[in-house]
């Protein structure tokens, strides 16, 4: 993006009296809202130029890059301007927790009660997030009581065999053009893929982050980039 394009983008923003605009950071993988901070024209330009979340500190009156002290950087995936032009939405890949308190998101205080605002564990950003958390917990479960524990205790070969079986059943359902079986088999396949990820100490977020990085890139170009050189 050239300087003229930056200028056109900046001109479309309705800056407040202090030359600032609120910027909401959202996890591109889970959809979870992470934080809200402020940007001026310089911070927005820096974010657009290098793809790293950069903001304006009202207390220090200085630019700050998210993660510059903690190492919890934000990699920009997508940037949106709302219909009124006075709020930015940044879809990012967040390294580590977003909040300076160490919480995954800054929005961890639940609805107030007689005792005031209560600390609550943020809800999962997606059903996949919730499911992966459950799979991880089942590592320690009794194999006699948990199917996931049976798979994980059964070893990699057993897990991969199930992935293969579910993939075949999904293909057959698609060949039969029956939507309900297709959906059911897709769910079974995704479930067992996530068990395989858990066995490898990986999270579905690792896969979603890879997909987010590829967003906006030609599939043919991305595939060519992965092809080993002859």
């Amino acid at each position: 993006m050239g300087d003229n394009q930056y200028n056109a983008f900046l001109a479309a923003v309705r800056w407040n009296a202090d030359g600032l605009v609120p910027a909401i950071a959202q996890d591109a993988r889970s959809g979870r809202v992470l934080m809200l901070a402020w940007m001026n024209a310089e911070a927005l330009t820096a974010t657009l130029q290098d793809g790293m979340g950069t903001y304006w500190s009202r207390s220090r009156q200085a630019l700050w890059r998210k993660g510059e002290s903690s190492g919890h950087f934000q990699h920009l995936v997508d940037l949106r301007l709302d219909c009124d032009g006075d709020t930015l939405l940044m879809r990012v890949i967040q390294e580590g927790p977003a909040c300076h308190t160490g919480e995954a998101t800054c929005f961890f205080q639940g609805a107030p009660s007689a005792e005031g605002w209560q600390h609550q564990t943020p809800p999962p950003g997606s059903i996949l997030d919730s499911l992966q958390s459950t799979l991880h917990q089942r590592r320690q479960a009794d194999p006699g009581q948990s199917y996931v524990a049976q798979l994980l205790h059964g070893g990699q070969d057993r897990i991969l065999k199930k992935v293969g079986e579910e993939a075949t059943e999904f293909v057959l359902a698609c060949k039969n053009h029956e939507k309900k079986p297709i959906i059911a088999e897709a769910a079974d396949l995704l479930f067992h893929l996530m068990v395989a990820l858990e066995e490898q100490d990986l999270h579905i977020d690792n896969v979603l982050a890879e997909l987010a990085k590829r967003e906006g890139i030609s599939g043919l170009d991305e595939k060519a980039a992965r092809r080993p050189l002859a």
Side-chain angles (χ1 to χ4, degrees):
M1 186 180 286
D3 289 341
N4 291 338
Q5 289 174 294
Y6 283 131
N7 291 337
F9 190 87
L10 296 174
V13 179
R14 292 179 58 187
W15 309 96
N16 68 13
D18 297 319
L20 302 174
V21 65
I24 299 167
Q26 178 186 36
D27 193 302
R29 301 161 296 191
S30 67
R32 175 185 286 164
V33 176
L34 299 174
M35 55 176 277
L36 182 146
W38 294 86
M39 285 184 169
N40 61 6
E42 187 179 0
L44 179 52
T45 300
T47 299
L48 290 169
Q49 286 177 335
D50 63 16
M52 304 292 288
T54 303
Y55 304 94
W56 176 257
S57 169
R58 293 176 296 173
S59 60
R60 301 197 309 270
Q61 291 291 292
L63 288 178
W64 63 281
R65 172 177 283 180
K66 179 66 177 173
E68 61 189 354
S69 58
S70 66
H72 300 153
F73 296 101
Q74 287 178 349
H75 303 273
L76 181 66
V77 171
D78 186 42
L79 182 64
R80 307 290 178 96
L81 183 64
D82 81 334
C83 57
D84 294 322
D86 58 4
T87 304
L88 294 170
L89 174 65
M90 296 174 49
R91 293 175 58 240
V92 302
I93 295 177
Q94 174 72 49
E95 294 186 26
C99 186
H100 72 282
T101 64
E103 296 285 345
T105 165
C106 293
F107 299 96
F108 58 85
Q109 299 189 84
S113 63
E115 292 76 32
W117 291 93
Q118 301 295 310
H119 182 285
Q120 292 183 357
T121 301
S126 69
I127 184 61
L128 296 180
D129 218 19
S130 177
L131 176 57
Q132 194 79 69
S133 176
T134 299
L135 295 179
H136 185 69
Q137 294 171 12
R138 297 288 165 80
R139 273 185 178 267
Q140 309 304 321
D142 179 359
Q145 301 295 321
S146 166
Y147 172 67
V148 172
Q150 285 181 17
L151 288 174
L152 292 172
H153 284 262
Q156 184 183 75
D157 287 348
R158 181 175 182 182
I159 295 170
L160 297 182
K161 181 181 178 183
K162 284 299 299 180
V163 172
E165 290 173 355
E166 299 300 343
T168 299
E169 291 176 10
F170 173 70
V171 169
L172 293 174
C174 289
K175 294 290 287 184
N176 289 330
H177 304 287
E178 297 179 6
K179 287 185 169 51
K180 286 187 177 180
I182 290 172
I183 293 170
E185 296 301 344
D188 287 344
L189 175 56
L190 184 54
F191 175 86
H192 288 89
L193 281 173
M194 292 176 67
V195 174
L197 289 171
E198 177 63 33
E199 194 272 335
Q200 293 289 323
D201 294 318
L202 292 170
H203 195 282
I204 189 62
D205 274 359
N206 299 119
V207 179
L208 297 178
E210 179 62 26
L211 289 173
K213 285 193 299 183
R214 297 181 189 180
E215 190 171 352
I217 300 174
S218 161
L220 294 175
D221 291 343
E222 190 280 328
K223 186 175 181 181
R226 286 188 285 137
R227 186 178 300 131
L229 296 175

